[in-house]
Amino acid sequence: MTYNSLLNRILLTVVVLAAFGCGCVNAASEGGSNAYLMKRASQTFDAVKKHMATDDKVLLQEAVPAKADQNPYSYLWGYSAMVSSVSAMYEASGDKQWLNVMDGMMIKGLDKYYDNKRKPAGYASYVNTAPQSDRFYDDNIWLGIDMADLYAATGKKTYLKRAEEIWTFVMSGYDDKLGGGIYWCEQKKESKNTCSNAPASVFALKMYNATKEKKYLDRGLDIYTWTKDSLEDKSDHLYFDHLTLKGRLGRDKYSYNTGQMLQAAAMLYKITGEKKYLDDAKLMAEAAYNRFFEDKGRADGLRILRGGEMWFDSVMLRGYIELYAIDKDNKYLKAFLASMNTAWGEDGSRDANGLFGKHYDARGKKGSRTLLNQAAMIEMMARLSAVK
């Protein structure tokens, strides 16, 4: 090991000890122990712009190095993840440079996916200059959540207007088949998925907080209840992926599905004060911790995220932060923080260009760097930097 690499490892250890030693997760104020995370998030965003930019100026690539058959621009899913990451950086820092990035780059890029030829208007899965593509309810819900968050952070009515329009599109995917719930894809109404219902509940509750219109609270509660009744695995409190109209259960379990139900439960507790929702949230938090984190034999005894689709984990983090605001138990956020430091360190998945691979540790050293993974790392570092 070289002198410089040894020094870097020592400095990283000092930072980690500072983050953990006080028994809390500190705010990202200048000099606060998590302030370094915002700097890292910013560096990663700069790396994305440098290495994943396109000739379009505002759109980005799906992955690098680009494959021969890769589309010139990312799908909406990856681009919306970057919208979320920039929103998170503004929410966490209050720095107007990120609001300028949002309005000057991300919103302009987002508009290239906007489709008002089909009614109600919504965002398509690929750019509107290409042949018409499918529209996914979950893709739109993530954007609706971002717009609601931006409105809460800025008070700008333009964000609320976008959120309301997205809500109209999302509700066009709701019907009474299977007893309720929202479909996954507008063009393939074959299943109702946790990924289109759990975040729809979160979206509805954020709209209620923004407007105080009871219709949003009613719908948020309705969708939460339907998802819990239809897709929860009662044996472990994690969530299955989907239910088809023929009644077939898709049994895969992903971190973001449980994470969004966790966030919805915590939000419902804050709004209603009903303890059953807090009880739900705590059960899900521990279940997800046991499923999606692994013991790597670290000296500090902390688990780190298993890896896979980092973006799923970034959405799960939102739920843990929502719960932490209620109970102030930092057990889970410490594990996220350990994961971020592992990914950034010498034994992590960050490459010479400052981009991240699929896993948090050295298993992610090889392979393509997806836009989703970069956005996920930016969002997680930004959100953790701001938790008090």
Side-chain angles (χ1 to χ4, degrees):
M1 183 181 293
T2 66
Y3 173 79
N4 285 337
S5 63
L6 177 61
L7 180 60
N8 287 337
R9 179 164 289 187
I10 291 170
L11 289 172
L12 179 59
T13 301
V14 170
V15 168
V16 174
L17 288 174
F20 296 149
C22 68
C24 61
V25 182
N26 292 322
S29 56
E30 191 62 27
S33 62
N34 286 358
Y36 70 99
L37 288 171
M38 181 58 73
K39 294 177 182 177
R40 290 179 177 180
S42 181
Q43 284 178 250
T44 307
F45 179 82
D46 289 343
V48 169
K49 284 194 69 176
K50 180 177 180 180
H51 299 289
M52 305 188 79
T54 69
D55 57 5
D56 181 82
K57 306 301 182 185
V58 295
L59 294 176
L60 297 163
Q61 295 181 71
E62 183 77 6
V64 292
K67 297 178 181 178
D69 59 349
Q70 185 171 305
N71 289 325
Y73 310 118
S74 74
Y75 287 101
L76 176 64
W77 184 15
Y79 197 83
S80 72
M82 284 300 296
V83 173
S84 298
S85 73
V86 174
S87 176
M89 285 194 285
Y90 177 70
E91 291 174 63
S93 67
D95 188 336
K96 288 187 177 180
Q97 72 160 312
W98 298 115
L99 204 56
N100 292 336
V101 170
M102 180 62 71
D103 293 335
M105 176 185 173
M106 304 310 303
I107 293 294
K108 290 180 180 178
L110 190 58
D111 285 343
K112 294 179 182 289
Y113 297 87
Y114 184 68
D115 170 20
N116 60 1
K117 293 179 181 178
R118 290 173 283 187
K119 303 298 182 183
Y123 293 86
S125 58
Y126 197 59
V127 292
N128 51 31
T129 53
Q132 193 173 77
S133 57
D134 290 345
R135 301 196 298 185
F136 291 85
Y137 294 108
D138 61 327
D139 283 356
N140 281 263
I141 291 165
W142 305 122
L143 291 170
I145 289 171
D146 291 334
M147 295 302 114
D149 284 344
L150 285 164
Y151 173 68
T154 67
K156 290 178 64 173
K157 294 288 188 181
T158 53
Y159 296 131
L160 181 59
K161 183 178 179 181
R162 283 180 183 265
E164 289 171 335
E165 183 176 49
I166 292 169
W167 178 259
T168 298
F169 173 73
V170 170
M171 283 297 96
S172 73
Y174 182 101
D175 67 22
D176 292 330
K177 293 180 181 178
L178 299 175
I182 298 168
Y183 292 99
W184 177 49
C185 178
E186 183 184 39
Q187 283 67 44
K188 302 180 183 70
K189 291 185 175 178
E190 300 164 358
S191 67
K192 293 184 175 181
N193 295 37
T194 306
C195 71
S196 53
N197 283 280
S201 181
V202 171
F203 183 20
L205 297 175
K206 285 179 179 287
M207 291 299 288
Y208 171 73
N209 287 337
T211 67
K212 299 306 178 187
E213 293 184 30
K214 190 172 181 294
K215 68 176 183 179
Y216 292 118
L217 177 56
D218 290 344
R219 186 59 76 190
L221 178 55
D222 165 60
I223 295 173
Y224 176 86
T225 302
W226 180 87
T227 309
K228 182 175 172 63
D229 290 346
S230 304
L231 288 160
E232 182 189 25
D233 183 342
K234 308 302 181 186
S235 71
D236 62 8
H237 306 292
L238 298 173
Y239 278 78
F240 295 120
D241 186 62
H242 66 268
L243 184 64
T244 71
L245 291 187
K246 295 180 179 180
R248 182 180 176 184
L249 191 64
R251 302 184 70 86
D252 290 333
K253 296 175 182 177
Y254 301 110
S255 57
Y256 72 148
N257 285 336
T258 299
Q260 281 295 276
M261 285 298 284
L262 165 58
Q263 186 172 13
M267 293 181 73
L268 281 167
Y269 173 72
K270 289 178 182 178
I271 293 168
T272 69
E274 293 187 36
K275 187 175 179 293
K276 66 179 180 180
Y277 298 119
L278 180 57
D279 291 341
D280 284 354
K282 288 183 175 181
L283 285 172
M284 284 185 271
E286 187 64 14
Y289 181 68
N290 291 332
R291 176 65 176 261
F292 301 113
F293 293 80
E294 60 185 342
D295 184 354
K296 301 288 289 185
R298 295 165 57 100
D300 56 19
L302 294 168
R303 300 180 191 178
I304 67 168
L305 289 156
R306 291 185 181 277
E309 184 55 75
M310 289 177 169
W311 182 80
F312 290 170
D313 299 336
S314 70
V315 174
M316 178 171 64
L317 174 60
R318 302 177 193 179
Y320 278 110
I321 289 176
E322 202 79 55
L323 177 60
Y324 176 77
I326 298 167
D327 68 9
K328 297 300 180 183
D329 182 352
N330 67 353
K331 168 185 172 181
Y332 308 116
L333 298 191
K334 278 182 167 182
F336 275 99
L337 188 56
S339 304
M340 296 304 96
N341 285 321
T342 297
W344 191 275
E346 284 187 354
D347 296 328
S349 66
R350 186 169 174 264
D351 67 14
N353 292 327
L355 300 174
F356 292 90
K358 189 174 183 180
H359 293 275
Y360 297 94
D361 59 21
R363 290 175 294 171
K365 285 290 187 186
K366 298 179 181 179
S368 64
R369 272 44 186 151
T370 67
L371 187 60
L372 271 173
N373 282 353
Q374 312 321 308
M377 289 300 296
I378 294 168
E379 177 176 347
M380 285 189 282
M381 290 188 289
R383 292 198 189 283
L384 286 168
S385 77
V387 176
K388 297 181 181 180

